[in-house]
Amino acid sequence: MIAHNFDYIVPNSLSEAVNLLQKHGAGAKILAGGHSLIPMMKLRLATPECLIDIGRIPELAYIKDAGGLIRIGALTTHYAIESSDPLRRQCTTLGEAAATIGDVQVRNKGTIGGSIAHADPAADYPASILALDATIVAFGPKGERKIPASDFFVDMLTTTLEPNELVREIQIPVRGGRAGSAYLKMAQKASGFAICGASAVVELDSSGAISHAAVGITGVGSRAFRASETEKLLRGVKPAADVLKRACEHASDGIIALEDIHASADYRLDLARIFARRALEKAIERAG
Ligand SMILES: Cc1cc2nc3c(=O)[nH]c(=O)nc-3n(C[C@H](O)[C@H](O)[C@H](O)COP(=O)(O)OP(=O)(O)OC[C@H]3O[C@@H](n4cnc5c(N)ncnc54)[C@H](O)[C@@H]3O)c2cc1C
């Protein structure tokens, strides 16, 4: 279908983009890579009166290793994330999530800021963003606001961003010592979106016991979530196969799963338990 008529504005800076958001109010939408918004407009699920195209603001596309913290600009493409050396070495799960998104065309245009602001329940990044304890830096009329990942995703297509704010940066703390991470997913065959995706981040102490375990899961519920019960059961224990299996039986505790033509709710809950265990095994192997 053909999208509804709309105005199109190209700001040159972040402040100009925020001013335009304020001026045009609820009728305005930010356009980044366009790989979620344009399909929605063509289906008339979104009918913005005005598109503010931030795609040409140069200061928003970067990956910076700031020593202990990796900073990723909102306009950084999935391809740039997938092929970044610092991310591959220090936040493997995020690069792995990026590499599984859609196809080459989607990864060349789609951006991390657009993906997390869109908050599709089947998007790949949210699992890793949660497990990595990332911080989302929003920018609005009052300047910057830091939002912990655990507070960012509220529900299907809903985040805690204010209507006049945009995502400026994603900050990821780097774990030192014996740390490892991984992202694994069961993809929907036609689109590549996650029926279930699991991200695990693990740190081992000098005795080989788990000192930190975080598991983020996407595709299962109306928003990505942390498998907190699993994480609790793993803290301080040696990562034997039976221990992991028992802990991951609780990976989808308390979650109301989605149900559609691709997978039943029960199947999604099962996948969460299985993919949590597989992602943990991989992360532990990488932690050495
Ligand atoms: C064929 C196809 C297959 C796909 N497969 C997958 C997949 O397997 N896994 C997956 O995770 N995703 C998948 N996607 C979605 C893809 O990753 C999108 O690129 C991404 O979801 C949106 O990023 P974008 O830059 O294109 O954002 P846009 O489409 O430009 O914007 C999306 C939404 O975010 C808002 N927005 C954009 N940038 C910002 C910002 N900086 N601050 C605030 N709001 C902002 C927009 O206003 C809009 O509401 C697929 C898409 C297609 C078309």
Side-chain angles (χ1 to χ4, degrees), residues 249-264:
E249 274 159 20
H250 299 278
S252 46
D253 279 6
I255 297 302
I256 299 169
L258 300 171
E259 189 152 48
D260 56 25
I261 55 165
H262 306 297
S264 69

Side-chain angles (χ1 to χ4, degrees), residues 207-227:
S207 74
I210 297 173
S211 50
H212 172 86
V215 179
I217 294 177
T218 189
V220 174
S222 61
R223 66 176 171 92
F225 61 92
R226 284 273 290 260

Side-chain angles (χ1 to χ4, degrees), residues 29-39 54 60 74-75 78 100-103 106 109-118 120 122-126 161 165-168 185 191-194:
K29 272 261 174 215
I30 295 288
L31 178 72
H35 272 60
S36 291
L37 184 55
I38 301 292
I54 59 169
L60 279 181
L75 273 188
H78 309 326
T100 70
I101 293 177
D103 52 32
V106 175
K109 285 298 284 179
T111 67
I112 187 167
S115 176
I116 64 168
H118 188 56
D120 190 306
D124 290 288
Y125 286 130
L161 271 184
E165 282 181 327
L166 42 78
V167 176
R168 174 184 215 159
K185 89 170 177 187
S191 70
F193 275 100

